[in-house]
Structures are given as C-alpha cells and as structure tokens.
Amino acid sequence: MNPSYRIVEIFRSLQGEGWNTGMDAVFIRFGKCNLACHWCDTDYHRYGMRGLDDILSEVLAHNTRNIIITGGEPTIQPKLEVLLDELKRAGRYLAIETNALKKIPPQIDYIAASPKRLYREAYAKRCISRADEVRIVADDDSIPEFCAEIEGRIRAERYYLSPCEQNGQMNLLPTLRLLGELNERPGKPHWQLSIQTHKLAGIE
C-alpha cells in the first residue's frame, strides 16, 4: 500500500510560533484547505502528489525526532493516518497545526489549534474540544469576543494571540492592545503573544 498525498513542501526548520518556538523539526505541508482566509500566507493550492514511500524517505532522512504536520489543513487529507502510523513506527514525535474544525488523528502528540474568526459560525456548530495550545490571529477588533467563545469550546493549556500580516504589514500595536484587553478579564485564561519569529529570523 503506497497511497499518495497532496504535498506543498517538506522542509526542516525551527518552529517559529507558540509554545514550541525554536524546536528543530521537519515540516510536512499539505495542500488544500477547508477554509479560505484572505490573509493566509500559505499557497496551499500549489501542491504535487507524492507517494507514501517517497515522503517517508525524505522525512526520515533528517536526523530529528520532531515532525510538524501542517497545511493548508492536514485533517482533510485522505489516508493521513496511514502516514502517521509509519512516522510513529519510526519513533517520531508528531505535532499538528490545524484550524480545529475536524477530528484530530489519535497518533498526534501535540495539537496547535488555530481557529479563524472569519468562520466563527462554523466553530459555534462544531470544533475540537481540546488542544495543547490555541493560536488566534488578531484580524479584527472583535477578536476578544471570538477568543472568549473559543475559550468555552476548546480547552487548552495555553492561549496565544498573533498579529495579522497583510501586504507585508503586521498589526502589532493593535494586537498588543487586544491582548491587554483579553488579560484584563478577571478569572479568565491568560493569553500570550505569539509572533512568526521564523520570518524575523529569515528562515522558512
């Protein structure tokens, strides 16, 4: 059995966001997404079909235990669990970056969920209930309301707010203000700032 997958790219780098910032890992970026955020920085429409054996050969050639499954949206990939089974069999630690609308495969060790405010109605109907971290992009002044909704739907160890980058401009100051607003609420989860540090460092 050698299923094929929609692959945008496979590369080794450092995690630039969230709790695992700085972690050495191989990234497997899948094509296609079930959302269409206008500010998305990934060209998930440009992908090629690659077989399981080909993917494993490239990924396992890297001397690192950590694998980050990302996209696009990984959870919509057919036969994803076949690939994940092989990676677990090879002793790899599997993290996933997901928009949190679909079920997470059981092989995943670390879940980074990134709900999107643009699709808040979809999250009101269904989403995962647990993650290791939640990262939300501050793409609108109504973000604190959406963050509060997500707190009630996705239980996580850590919550992050990230600036939104459009046309090379990052709304860092407005994001800091929104972060302060979130953290003024008594008895609520503490939110932290997460920036795409890999872009600042000039790495992929």
Side-chain angles (χ1 to χ4, degrees):
M1 183 177 180
N2 187 31
S4 294
Y5 299 89
R6 299 180 290 242
I7 300 294
V8 174
E9 57 184 343
I10 296 173
F11 61 97
R12 184 175 180 176
S13 189
L14 303 177
Q15 171 61 279
E17 303 175 76
W19 178 254
N20 290 316
T21 294
M23 183 177 77
D24 179 34
V26 173
F27 291 74
I28 304 176
R29 187 180 302 283
F30 289 94
K32 289 200 173 183
C33 188
N34 51 344
L35 302 181
C37 303
H38 62 85
W39 43 257
C40 182
D41 60 0
T42 298
D43 191 357
Y44 52 80
H45 296 295
R46 297 173 64 95
Y47 60 84
M49 300 302 297
R50 296 184 61 176
L52 174 65
D53 293 344
D54 180 33
I55 296 170
L56 290 173
S57 177
E58 180 170 351
V59 171
L60 300 181
H62 293 280
N63 184 28
T64 179
R65 175 173 174 260
N66 306 310
I67 309 294
I68 296 177
I69 309 296
T70 186
E73 175 52 42
T75 61
I76 67 171
Q77 307 303 320
K79 302 187 185 302
L80 178 63
E81 293 193 21
V82 176
L83 172 59
L84 299 182
D85 278 339
E86 292 299 323
L87 292 172
K88 291 303 290 184
R89 192 171 292 116
R92 294 316 196 254
Y93 178 85
L94 303 181
I96 194 169
E97 297 182 330
T98 174
N99 59 35
L101 284 174
K102 292 189 172 292
K103 183 179 177 180
I104 306 299
Q107 299 93 335
I108 296 297
D109 299 296
Y110 191 92
I111 303 169
S114 184
K116 304 301 191 291
R117 178 201 58 83
L118 293 165
Y119 296 90
R120 67 191 309 169
E121 292 182 3
Y123 291 95
K125 295 176 182 177
R126 71 184 189 285
C127 64
I128 63 175
S129 60
R130 188 199 69 81
D132 294 283
E133 69 180 63
V134 166
R135 299 186 216 139
I136 291 181
V137 174
D139 61 352
D140 186 87
D141 288 344
S142 66
I143 274 294
E145 299 171 12
F146 181 60
C147 290
E149 294 170 9
I150 292 300
E151 288 171 347
R153 296 190 177 104
I154 305 178
R155 178 174 50 86
E157 295 294 321
R158 306 167 190 92
Y159 294 89
Y160 294 95
L161 194 63
S162 300
C164 182
E165 182 179 343
Q166 298 187 72
N167 302 317
Q169 298 295 315
M170 186 182 297
N171 64 338
L172 183 55
L173 182 56
T175 300
L176 290 175
R177 292 196 178 106
L178 293 171
L179 185 65
E181 183 179 332
L182 277 171
N183 288 331
E184 285 177 353
R185 304 169 303 153
K188 298 297 183 180
H190 181 79
W191 287 71
Q192 302 175 71
L193 180 68
S194 178
I195 297 178
Q196 292 181 310
T197 57
H198 52 287
K199 292 184 178 180
L200 299 177
I203 59 175
E204 192 169 6

